[in-house]
Amino acid sequence: MLSQEEIKEFEAVQLFMERAFLVVPKLQPTLENLQLVGAICKKIEGIPLAIELAASRMSILTLEQMEERLASLLTLLTAG
């Protein structure tokens, strides 16, 4: 398992956290949150636009809910 600092080094995780923070300013970069963000970024293959779309959903979904729903990748990112 990667440490909190190692997870923070990934550009995809950095982008997600930057964009998510704009939606949820109180989002904390805890180890658990960063692990979920890493899993989300992996599922969406680190694609910048997909990361931005996913992060914008933070106003309606928790990280846990998003990670679970990404089993069907395009449904989450394209549904209204």
Side-chain angles (χ1 to χ4, degrees):
M1 178 164 46
L2 297 174
S3 72
Q4 188 169 343
E5 293 306 314
E6 291 171 320
I7 297 170
K8 284 183 180 180
E9 291 180 21
F10 291 101
E11 290 181 19
V13 171
Q14 293 171 10
L15 177 60
F16 187 101
M17 291 300 289
E18 288 171 9
R19 297 304 188 261
F21 187 73
L22 295 174
V23 179
V24 183
K26 294 182 181 184
L27 180 65
Q28 297 296 314
T30 64
L31 179 58
E32 181 182 359
N33 285 346
L34 290 171
Q35 288 173 335
L36 285 165
V37 170
I40 290 166
C41 290
K42 184 176 180 179
K43 286 183 179 182
I44 56 179
E45 300 179 7
I47 299 168
L49 179 57
I51 292 169
E52 294 205 26
L53 290 170
S56 73
R57 299 288 194 253
M58 289 293 299
S59 63
I60 56 174
L61 296 172
T62 65
L63 289 171
E64 293 86 359
Q65 291 170 328
M66 191 176 309
E67 198 271 332
E68 289 172 9
R69 292 179 184 197
L70 276 169
S72 178
L73 171 65
L74 295 179
T75 302
L76 173 68
L77 298 181
T78 60

